Amino acid sequence: MGKWGVFARTAVERCRLLASYTEEPGRITRTYLSPPMKEVHAHIARWLTDAGCEVRIDAVGNLRATCRADPLVRGRPPGRPPRDHPEQMSLAMSGSGGTRADQRIRPGVRPTFVIGSHLDTVPNAGAFDGVLGVVLGVALLEDLAARALPYDLELIGFSEEEGVRYGVPFIGSRAVVGSLDADLVSRISPAIRDFGLDPALIPEAKLPGNVCGYLEFHIEQGPVLEHLGLPLGVVDCIAGQSRLMLHFEGKANHAGATPMALRHDALAGAAEWIGAVERIAREVPQLVATVGRVTVDPGAGNVIAGAAQATLDVRHISDEVRQRGVRSILEAAEAIAGRRGLGLRTELSLDQSAVAMDAELTARLWRANTAEGLPAHSMTSGAGHDAMIIAPHFPAAMLFMRSPGGISHHPDEAVNVEDVEAALACGSRFLADLERDYA
Ligand code: GLV
Ligand code: MN
Ligand code: MN
C-alpha cells in the first residue's frame, strides 16, 4: 500500500473512532457543543499536537489548529509519525527536507491557507459527513510536519454546520467570517458557557485578513459520482437553501366527543400542507423541498392536535427559483390554514444564496487531479457546506469523494478507502502547487 493508502486507511479508522462519541448510544448523534464533542476535540487535538500544530478551541467551539510556516517553531521533530500508525514513520520521513522556511517566505505578511469541515452531525448520522474532511486535513498536516512551508496552514473543525440544535446551520463558519447576528449569539451563549467557553470572545474567532484560500474535502452525499464511476468531484457551485419553521395553530379537543366537521386539527392541516410541499417541488426541475420534523402539542392519541410545528428546507441552484418555490409553499400553507380555520405563523431561520467556488482555486484542484492522473467530475453541490459561508469572504474550493450507494445523513453512509487515497493525493498535490507559488 502506498503512502496515501496508509493515510487513507487511518483516516477512515479515525472517522469510525470519532463516531463512537455520541449523545445517543447505538446511534451517531453529535449536535452543537454536546458533551461528546469534547472527546472528539481531545482526539483530534492529540493527533495535531503530535504533528507539531498549535491547537485551541475558539469561543463558538470550533477546533482550530495552526501549522506555522517554519517547522523550527513547531513542537514535533521532523518525520515523527502519528501515534496511531507506526507504519507511517517511514512515509512521514520521506516528506522531510526542503529549504529553510525563512529562505522561502516572501517579505511582508505571510499568508494562511485554511482547510476545514464540520464535526457536528445530524441525528442518527453516518460516520463521514463533515468529520472526514477534518480528518483528511489532519493527515495533510501530519504529512507536511517535516516540511518548510511558505504559508501557515490552519485546520478548522467547525463546531456546527447541520443546524440541528438551534434550527440554524453554519454557526461555526459564520463565527469565523464574523457574520453571527446578536440574536443568535444570545440564544447560543448558555450552551457556550456550559461547554466552558466565553461568548464574549466570539469576535476573536474571526479569521485574519491574510487568509489566501480555503479547501474543504467532503463526501458527495449523493449518487452522481458513483453513477459515473468516478472517485472525485470538483465542486463548482453550492445550491442555496431556505430554512423555515411553520406553526399551525388549531384547537385541542376530545378525540371521541368532537365531530369531524367541528374540529380545528393543527396536525391534519400540517399533513395536508406537507403533501402540497411535495407536489410543488416535483413540479419545478431540480427544486427540492423537505419537511423533516413535525412536533405536535399536546401529542396524545386521544386529543385533537392543538398545535403543530413543521420545519421546511428548500434548495435550488438558482436563488430566484428557490425563493419562488418558498413563496408557493407558503401560499399553500395559508390557503390550507384559512380553509381549516387554523392560525399560521412562519419564521425564516436561513435564506442562504447559492455560492460559486473560486475559479482560480478550483482550476488548481483540477490541475492537481490531472497531475495525479485522477479522473474527476465538475459538479454542483445540492448539500450545504461550510465552504458556502467562507466563499464570499475568501477564495474557496471543494473536493468531493464518491458516496457508495449515494447515501448520507444515514448510518449506512460510507466511503471507499481508494477514493480517500485519491483525495489525499490530490490535496497534497494542490498544497504543493500553492507552495511553489508562495515560495
Ligand atoms: C448539510 O448537511 C446540509 O446540506 O443540510
Ligand atoms: Mn450533513
Ligand atoms: Mn457535511
Side-chain angles (χ1 to χ4, degrees):
M1 186 180 282
K3 162 174 154 172
W4 294 119
V6 176
F7 273 105
R9 206 183 63 205
T10 304
V12 169
E13 283 168 10
R14 285 175 169 176
C15 288
R16 297 263 180 230
L17 169 72
L18 298 179
S20 66
Y21 297 102
T22 171
E23 292 158 62
E24 297 183 284
R27 296 171 23 130
I28 307 168
T29 303
R30 198 170 51 250
T31 58
Y32 179 50
L33 297 182
S34 56
M37 192 64 91
K38 281 222 156 86
E39 286 148 303
V40 164
H41 284 168
H43 278 285
I44 300 175
R46 185 170 56 85
W47 300 329
L48 288 163
T49 46
D50 279 359
C53 300
E54 295 157 27
V55 184
R56 70 186 172 102
I57 307 298
D58 72 19
V60 284
N62 295 321
L63 182 142
R64 315 278 294 260
T66 309
C67 186
R68 300 268 169 226
D70 186 342
L72 299 177
V73 303
R74 298 188 213 151
R76 167 144 90 91
R80 190 174 139 202
R83 259 182 216 168
D84 312 30
H85 259 274
E87 203 177 340
Q88 282 173 346
M89 180 178 299
S90 57
L91 303 171
M93 288 185 77
S94 69
S96 63
T99 53
R100 278 169 49 94
D102 55 2
Q103 293 169 335
R104 305 174 71 187
I105 296 165
R106 278 192 217 150
V109 180
R110 195 166 57 205
T112 296
F113 191 83
V114 181
I115 299 175
S117 197
H118 61 98
L119 295 171
D120 64 319
T121 76
V122 293
N124 200 20
F128 301 101
D129 175 4
V131 181
L132 179 62
V134 180
V135 162
L136 292 199
V138 173
L140 289 171
L141 293 189
E142 285 172 339
D143 180 58
L144 287 169
R147 295 251 299 277
L149 291 176
Y151 50 83
D152 290 342
L153 263 176
E154 176 163 352
L155 174 65
I156 308 183
F158 291 109
S159 54
E160 207 290 341
E161 187 265 3
E162 301 285 8
V164 174
R165 183 160 181 185
Y166 291 96
V168 185
F170 308 121
I171 292 174
S173 43
R174 283 162 72 180
V176 309
V177 297
S179 70
L180 279 182
D181 56 82
D183 272 2
L184 183 56
V185 168
S186 66
R187 278 175 68 203
I188 64 179
S189 286
I192 289 175
R193 283 191 207 94
D194 287 351
F195 201 76
L197 300 167
D198 180 358
L201 301 180
I202 288 176
E204 292 178 17
K206 201 170 164 201
L207 281 166
N210 70 333
V211 171
C212 60
Y214 171 86
L215 176 63
E216 182 163 355
F217 299 92
H218 207 285
I219 50 169
E220 178 203 341
Q221 306 184 275
V224 174
L225 292 172
E226 182 167 75
H227 178 71
L228 295 171
L230 294 173
L232 301 176
V234 176
V235 176
D236 55 13
C237 186
I238 304 177
Q241 49 177 288
S242 302
R243 297 211 200 177
L244 296 94
M245 184 71 84
L246 277 81
H247 303 260
F248 291 87
E249 282 139 19
K251 182 116 187 92
N253 209 337
H254 198 288
T258 315
M260 294 308 287
L262 300 179
R263 298 176 175 215
H264 299 284
D265 185 330
L267 180 57
E272 185 182 344
W273 169 73
I274 292 168
V277 170
E278 203 175 25
R279 234 177 2 262
I280 291 165
R282 279 172 189 267
E283 281 164 10
V284 182
Q286 270 101 52
L287 185 70
V288 287
T290 308
V291 179
R293 184 170 177 195
V294 179
T295 48
V296 178
D297 185 70
N302 61 349
V303 185
I304 296 162
Q309 257 190 33
T311 59
L312 175 66
D313 177 313
V314 182
R315 307 193 192 194
H316 198 278
I317 208 72
S318 152
D319 292 334
E320 199 203 318
V321 173
R322 171 175 53 87
Q323 281 159 353
R324 209 177 321 124
V326 170
R327 278 198 298 279
S328 304
I329 286 169
L330 293 182
E331 281 163 16
E334 276 159 24
I336 291 163
R339 193 163 14 84
R340 289 172 168 270
L342 303 174
L344 177 70
R345 204 159 47 80
T346 63
E347 283 171 64
L348 178 72
S349 58
L350 184 77
D351 179 3
Q352 168 64 50
S353 302
V355 174
M357 295 293 95
D358 180 72
E360 200 267 330
L361 274 193
T362 302
R364 281 177 186 277
L365 261 185
W366 272 111
R367 282 201 296 278
N369 268 310
T370 309
E372 289 295 319
L374 294 165
H377 174 63
S378 179
M379 61 191 301
T380 57
S381 171
H385 299 288
D386 295 298
M388 74 193 301
I389 303 302
I390 304 293
H393 302 265
F394 302 107
M398 272 200 90
L399 187 69
F400 275 173
M401 284 150 278
R402 157 170 51 194
S403 284
I407 293 170
S408 185
H409 285 186
H410 186 280
D412 290 346
E413 186 178 272
V415 73
N416 299 323
V417 174
E418 300 74 31
D419 298 349
V420 176
E421 179 180 357
L424 281 169
C426 172
S428 169
R429 177 74 72 147
F430 173 94
L431 293 177
D433 178 18
L434 272 186
E435 202 173 323
R436 264 198 316 278
D437 290 358
Y438 285 112

